[in-house]
Amino acid sequence: MISVMPAPRADRASVDASATAWALAARGGDPDAADHFVRALHADVLRYVTYLSGDPQTAHDLTQDTFARAFGSLHRYEGRAPARTWLLSIARRAVADSLRRAAVRPRIADTVDWQTAVEGTQPRGLPGFDDGIALLDLLETLPDERREAFLLTQVVGLSYEEAAGFTGCPIGTVRSRVSRARATLERVLREAESASTLGG
């Protein structure tokens, strides 16, 4: 069973407050604050773009793009929303733009799918690698809205209230999407376990 536990709520609130303060200080030109801001939220952005895009190979580029966009518009950030929420909204746009570009890009070769080929060359013995790929595969079975609600609350660690504000949906809708996402993931896992038992 794959389990992704967000940070405890108290720790998250502390990180959010610090990250927001660092973002505001970075807006004023403090390079140390800018560095702290990136360090505090880099892992959250990386997780979010990886799971949202479904492409771990481009996740680091998307994360860099997110922070580049954030620093480009930092002068407009006033701290009304937590820096994490503001940054994740930029990450979502970065992923959407990347997917749009990929959709219109012509395929160069008519060979084996490049992503499958690259994944095949990755070291499989690293802790968490197989679980991460398995989770990506599972999340791909979800409709976009349910996947995003699940990611925001269960992977990134936003509260339901924060996720509702982030997505512009009522909190009840977010709860429903997460509940349905969990039900789907549990069903897919049960079916996979059943198939492996029968096959073994």
Side-chain angles (χ1 to χ4, degrees):
M1 180 68 75
I2 296 165
S3 174
V4 179
M5 297 299 294
R9 183 71 46 88
D11 292 347
R12 225 172 41 240
S14 173
V15 169
D16 279 345
S18 297
T20 299
W22 287 323
L24 292 170
R27 184 185 70 172
D30 182 340
D32 288 334
D35 184 56
H36 285 302
F37 169 67
V38 172
R39 289 175 187 270
L41 298 177
H42 187 274
D44 286 340
V45 173
L46 181 61
R47 270 196 307 269
Y48 183 60
V49 299
T50 299
Y51 294 126
L52 195 62
S53 68
D55 184 1
Q57 306 303 327
T58 62
H60 289 283
D61 290 340
L62 286 167
T63 301
Q64 286 185 336
D65 184 26
T66 297
F67 279 103
R69 292 178 185 213
F71 282 108
S73 60
L74 196 57
H75 62 282
R76 292 195 299 272
Y77 177 65
E78 296 179 356
R80 288 195 199 110
R84 183 200 311 256
T85 303
W86 174 71
L87 195 58
L88 292 178
S89 68
I90 294 172
R92 181 165 60 169
R93 285 194 298 276
V95 171
D97 290 346
S98 173
L99 293 174
R100 274 194 291 272
R101 284 193 302 271
V104 298
R105 189 179 304 132
R107 289 189 66 118
I108 296 174
D110 200 19
T111 59
V112 176
D113 174 56
W114 68 269
Q115 188 173 355
T116 304
V118 171
E119 284 175 3
T121 66
Q122 297 299 311
R124 298 287 173 161
L126 296 178
F129 181 87
D130 290 330
D131 283 352
I133 295 300
L135 181 57
L136 280 176
D137 290 343
L138 285 173
L139 290 172
E140 282 300 306
T141 67
L142 299 173
D144 291 345
E145 299 85 7
R146 292 181 194 172
R147 181 169 68 237
E148 183 175 39
F150 184 86
L151 288 171
L152 288 171
T153 59
Q154 309 305 304
V155 177
V156 175
L158 296 185
S159 68
Y160 285 104
E161 293 84 356
E162 290 167 331
F166 179 77
T167 58
C169 295
I171 189 169
T173 301
V174 173
R175 288 185 190 281
S176 173
R177 287 175 178 174
V178 172
S179 175
R180 291 179 181 186
R182 277 194 183 128
T184 300
L185 293 174
E186 287 170 6
R187 177 179 51 77
V188 170
L189 282 170
R190 276 196 309 272
E191 289 172 359
E193 287 170 2
S194 174
S196 68
T197 302
L198 291 174

